[in-house]
Amino acid sequence: MEQFLLVAAVHFLALLSPGPDFFLVARASATAGWRTASGACLGIALANGVFIAIAFTGVSILQEGSALFIALQLAGCAYLLYIGGLFLRHAGRSDLQSAEVGIGHGWVQNLGMGFTSGILNPKNALFYASLASMLAASSAGWKLVYGVWMFTIVLGWDLLVAVAIGNRRVLRRFAQVLPWLERASGVLLILLASAVLMRLAWG
């Protein structure tokens, strides 16, 4: 349960730092309303679901302790350390006001745009592969729990962004706390990677 809470916290905090998917949802909501933007939210969640499924099923064929397994864990730790450092270095530099500019599309078009944005983002693939490499020893049941949880959180968070983005007061308050959320994300990612590296070193 402790591992689940840690991974869930890292995954959720990583969602809080705006990236291409965030700005796509924000633009769609600002220009066409949250109901239309919900198409982009679902598309992004589906793309994440594809990466989650590929990561968990692909990593599950590895044997714990094998050279390939250890190499994947090291690569995953390196990536988590890298993006954790990026979060800390760039905390407070995100410009949420750029989300106010955009062109409205229909729900189906937003669904396609959301899926395309998510599936073409290499950071999504690397992030889920990194997490999956650390959960390879978990049972199939726990992997299913992780997968469903991550898909649900991605969809729920993006829908929340879509609903809230039209409220300028909410947008301003989020912009105020964003630097601290980015710093917390960076610290947790680095701690997670460090814990795995120490386990490998002492194992």
Side-chain angles (χ1 to χ4, degrees):
M1 180 57 71
E2 291 181 2
Q3 184 184 50
F4 174 81
L5 293 176
L6 178 59
V7 172
V10 168
H11 178 253
F12 179 68
L13 285 173
L15 291 177
L16 300 184
S17 183
D21 295 344
F22 177 92
F23 288 112
L24 174 63
V25 172
R27 289 189 187 99
S29 182
T31 57
W34 75 268
R35 290 180 177 83
T36 300
S38 67
C41 299
L42 179 58
I44 292 167
L46 289 173
N48 278 259
V50 170
F51 283 127
I52 291 168
I54 291 174
F56 283 157
T57 57
V59 172
S60 65
I61 65 175
L62 298 176
Q63 293 183 351
E64 186 173 10
S66 67
L68 185 57
F69 179 83
I70 294 174
L72 185 57
Q73 283 189 305
L74 291 174
C77 289
Y79 177 69
L80 291 180
L81 289 172
Y82 170 71
I83 60 174
L86 285 181
F87 279 178
L88 291 176
R89 188 162 65 248
H90 297 290
R93 299 182 185 179
S94 300
D95 182 14
L96 297 182
Q97 299 306 314
S98 64
E100 297 179 5
V101 180
I103 300 175
H105 296 277
W107 190 91
V108 175
Q109 288 88 345
N110 272 281
L111 175 67
M113 290 173 61
F115 184 82
T116 302
S117 173
I119 208 71
L120 294 181
N121 187 348
K123 291 183 179 180
N124 287 340
L126 290 172
F127 180 73
Y128 288 116
S130 300
L131 290 183
S133 69
M134 298 170 192
L135 302 172
S138 301
S139 66
W142 270 111
K143 289 177 183 176
L144 180 61
V145 170
Y146 280 114
V148 171
W149 172 264
M150 291 176 184
F151 175 87
T152 304
I153 290 300
V154 169
L155 179 59
W157 170 248
D158 285 338
L159 285 172
L160 180 62
V161 169
V163 171
I165 206 70
N167 187 321
R168 297 306 172 210
R169 182 180 301 175
V170 172
L171 183 61
R172 286 195 298 271
R173 289 183 179 178
F174 182 78
Q176 291 173 355
V177 301
L178 180 61
W180 297 103
L181 293 174
E182 290 177 321
R183 292 186 183 100
S185 299
V187 169
L188 271 178
L189 290 170
I190 291 172
L191 286 177
L192 177 60
S194 300
V196 174
L197 288 174
M198 286 189 291
R199 182 163 60 91
L200 287 174
W202 294 340

